Amino acid sequence: MQNDTIAAIATPPGVGGIGVVRVSGTDAFSLVAPLLRRPGKPQEVPPIPPSHMLIYRHIIDPTTQDVLDEVLVAFMHAPHSYTAEDVVEIQGHGGPLILKRILRSVLAQGARMANPGEFTLRAFLNGRMDLAQAEAVMDLIGAQTEAGQRLAMQQLRGRLSEQVQAARQATLGVIARIEASIDFPEDDVPTPQPEELRPLIALAQQQVDLLLAGSEQGRLYRQGLRTAIIGRPNVGKSSLLNALLRTERAIVTPVAGTTRDTVEEIANLRGIPLHLIDTAGITPTTDPVEQIGVERSRAAAESADVVLLVYDGSEPLTEQDRKVSSELQAMGFGEYITLDASANDAYQHRRPVVVVVNKADRPLRLEVAEIGAAWPQATFVKTSTLTGEGLATLEEAIADLVLAGKVLSNESVLVTNVRHQEALRQAAEHLQASVISLEQGLPLDFVSIDLRAAYDALGEVTGETASEDLLDKIFSEFCIGK
Ligand SMILES: Nc1nc2c(ncn2[C@@H]2O[C@H](COP(=O)(O)OP(=O)(O)OP(=O)(O)O)[C@@H](O)[C@H]2O)c(=O)[nH]1
Ligand SMILES: [Mg+2]
């Protein structure tokens, strides 16, 4: 039901200075108002205050008339509220029990407990924001770096939606041109010629391609980069994790097999959340604990976006080093993976390896040439976690791999969401198909069908053509009270 009145605790669970109960819907005002009293006047229900004004009140339990808390309450008249409905926000003291009792009182008045994301869903359904903006609310809350936050804010302000809408309008323009001639042939609307349509489609293609071009990078700012530190025991993986984090997070000892479980921490690499995973050294072992650890190392490598393959530069290559290396190759590291059949460069994705030759403070005894032959695409960095040599270079190398020299400006608008990326890819495919239909001299109806499909795919980003299932899925990932 769209118009019933919903309520939830909008602040996170736990203890805080204040906590907020949010109520939204047609009856929000009439349900909450009877619960409020002026201090010292327990009998009298005061009138509803003007919109957007913070008022000091006591709140009561409607069954016992007990005063539950001192609160600050704001009544916000539709449509000037988060949901574009009548909204009441009740700020109480931030204890879990007190907030639950306030919520329970509001529910006793006839409000319904809100579902996850339901406030934002209503904001979307009431036209306060489009789907991409609603998703940006979540991204803003979940942002792990300032860069991620800036991108989410641009999306929330509607900058991404504007660019998607521009591509959509460009597509619609071509559709309109074609359909006018199909629908009104007698009104001598001339049949458009391919030469006339092609540049119009190209314009829409350009806009979609531009958005797609930055989307791999954008995704990283939002999701972060899973970076596994892999190598045989004792080469300095944990030391490297600590050095990159600038804390003594993982245990380091001269004993091979120190790390037995994966250790995961987030570092900030030029605005990209770098999920660093230190792993147990990969080695054959009969110790059951070590075996599990080694399996976890392999799983960490499997799921990583980038692997830092660490060697001890002060020792010759061992059989174990060679085995680790070939395992990674079997996992497809170091090669280009094409994600899309109709791919151009923008859709190519590589799972890169950075070869780290550690312990550079000691004389080099490692056969670097052999490693170079095994990893022709890889970047090599010499480091010493003891002296700090090469660590900045290593950070640069990782950043260069993923950013490819692109820097994020305050005004950058990037597609950060995989769902948006997928919809844009489909739009690009349909646009390409329309060009092919046109070139093959197929009837214009065919061209128009492809263009419609592109138009709909773009509408999925902003939500105009999103199905109910998709909306359910997206909003159910929100937290309660949002
Ligand atoms: N000289 C020198 N020693 C280092 C360097 N990095 C690490 N070490 C030493 O190498 C030993 C092993 O370091 P760790 O970081 O525990 O190695 P690891 O790869 O995590 O080892 P496992 O967890 O056993 O797989 C320790 O004694 C470190 O002090 C370095 O750059 N130079
Ligand atoms: Mg270790």
Side-chain angles (χ1 to χ4, degrees):
M1 233 204 307
Q2 227 255 270
N3 276 325
D4 57 349
T5 297
I6 54 172
I9 300 172
T11 38
V15 178
I18 59 165
V20 175
V21 173
R22 185 188 255 170
V23 189
S24 176
T26 337
D27 299 327
F29 289 9
S30 61
L31 295 187
V32 176
L35 301 174
L36 303 174
R37 297 289 183 276
R38 285 199 184 94
K41 297 190 176 170
Q43 305 305 330
E44 186 192 317
V45 175
I48 290 170
S51 191
H52 292 80
M53 206 169 191
L54 209 54
I55 306 290
Y56 175 69
R57 292 283 184 261
H58 280 172
I59 190 161
I60 59 154
D61 178 329
T63 44
T64 62
Q65 303 288 309
D66 283 351
V67 173
L68 295 175
D69 197 4
E70 317 175 85
V71 292
L72 287 172
V73 195
F75 286 75
M76 289 167 269
H77 277 281
H80 303 292
S81 71
Y82 184 70
T83 56
E85 300 172 336
D86 280 350
V87 167
V88 185
E89 284 183 5
I90 307 165
Q91 300 182 8
H93 289 101
L97 183 61
I98 199 73
L99 292 173
K100 259 185 221 155
R101 290 188 70 190
I102 294 173
L103 176 63
R104 211 183 298 147
S105 298
V106 175
L107 297 178
Q109 291 289 91
R112 169 172 69 74
M113 183 71 196
N115 295 320
E118 197 170 3
F119 291 99
T120 311
L121 173 64
R122 287 188 174 193
F124 164 68
L125 293 173
N126 292 326
R128 250 272 278 133
M129 50 176 80
D130 66 32
L131 194 54
Q133 287 175 301
E135 289 171 297
V137 172
M138 269 324 273
D139 290 353
L140 193 62
I141 296 170
Q144 305 175 73
T145 64
E146 282 179 30
Q149 190 190 331
R150 271 206 304 274
L151 288 171
M153 199 55 219
Q154 293 286 20
Q155 192 175 320
L156 182 57
R157 284 170 57 197
R159 298 280 312 277
L160 173 68
S161 305
E162 279 166 23
Q163 297 193 5
V164 173
Q165 289 298 7
R168 218 166 166 243
Q169 288 312 313
T171 311
L172 188 62
V174 197
I175 297 171
R177 184 75 191 79
I178 293 174
E179 292 189 354
S181 74
I182 295 173
D183 293 346
F184 311 104
E186 67 280 8
D187 294 352
D188 53 61
V189 176
T191 306
Q193 295 305 303
E195 307 78 71
E196 184 189 336
L197 293 176
R198 213 173 288 125
L200 294 177
I201 300 175
L203 192 70
Q205 279 182 311
Q206 259 170 30
Q207 284 164 325
V208 172
D209 285 347
L210 199 68
L211 284 167
L212 269 176
S215 65
E216 273 304 311
Q217 190 193 353
R219 196 177 59 81
L220 288 173
Y221 280 109
R222 177 165 173 270
Q223 296 186 336
L225 187 73
R226 283 183 70 79
T227 308
I229 307 174
I230 302 286
R232 70 162 164 85
N234 227 28
V235 292
K237 299 181 294 300
S238 300
S239 307
L240 194 62
L241 175 88
N242 290 344
L244 291 171
L245 290 174
R246 295 166 180 85
T247 58
E248 297 304 311
R249 172 67 181 82
I251 302 170
V252 169
T253 75
V255 182
T258 301
T259 307
R260 297 195 146 205
D261 200 353
T262 49
V263 175
E264 191 166 338
E265 283 292 334
I266 299 181
N268 183 338
L269 183 77
R270 287 207 230 144
I272 295 178
L274 195 66
H275 296 256
L276 285 169
I277 311 156
D278 179 28
T279 64
I282 297 180
T283 180
T285 167
T286 51
D287 176 344
V289 179
E290 246 181 343
Q291 274 173 352
I292 296 171
V294 169
E295 271 324 301
R296 290 194 177 173
S297 303
R298 294 199 171 102
E302 280 283 7
S303 70
D305 297 308
V306 175
V307 160
L308 307 185
L309 175 54
V310 187
Y311 292 91
D312 180 343
S314 68
E315 306 255 333
L317 268 177
T318 68
E319 256 332 285
Q320 206 42 53
D321 284 321
R322 294 192 177 95
K323 278 189 77 171
V324 173
S325 185
S326 55
E327 274 194 42
L328 286 177
Q329 273 164 348
M331 290 178 196
F333 279 94
E335 288 166 18
Y336 276 101
I337 301 169
T338 304
L339 294 179
D340 194 294
S342 68
N344 58 39
D345 285 347
Y347 305 153
Q348 281 193 341
H349 178 64
R350 188 161 62 120
R351 293 224 293 169
V353 164
V354 178
V355 173
V356 180
V357 180
N358 191 37
K359 309 199 186 181
D361 49 283
R362 293 189 186 156
L364 181 75
R365 292 178 60 205
L366 187 76
E367 297 87 339
V368 180
E370 181 180 335
I371 305 170
W375 296 101
Q377 308 257 22
T379 313
F380 278 62
V381 182
K382 268 179 25 180
T383 62
S384 165
T385 64
L386 224 56
T387 65
E389 177 192 341
L391 292 173
T393 316
L394 176 60
E395 287 178 334
E396 288 298 301
I398 302 169
D400 282 352
L401 277 177
V402 292
L403 299 181
K406 284 173 244 153
V407 265
L408 194 66
S409 80
N410 285 351
E411 295 301 305
S412 294
V413 177
L414 289 185
V415 174
T416 59
N417 184 308
V418 182
R419 188 184 77 75
H420 300 168
Q421 195 182 29
E422 198 40 53
L424 287 165
R425 271 192 197 136
Q426 293 199 350
E429 273 180 38
H430 292 304
L431 287 173
Q432 188 55 34
S434 76
V435 172
I436 293 171
S437 301
L438 199 63
E439 274 166 6
Q440 290 176 339
L442 295 177
L444 287 180
D445 308 46
F446 284 85
V447 182
S448 172
I449 288 169
D450 293 326
L451 290 169
R452 280 260 165 224
Y455 180 73
D456 286 347
L458 291 169
E460 276 189 21
V461 176
T462 44
E464 278 96 339
T465 53
S467 69
E468 207 160 306
D469 284 353
L470 177 64
L471 293 180
D472 280 350
K473 190 176 160 296
I474 291 170
F475 286 99
S476 66
E477 283 164 15
F478 278 48
C479 41
I480 298 251
K482 194 63 231 177

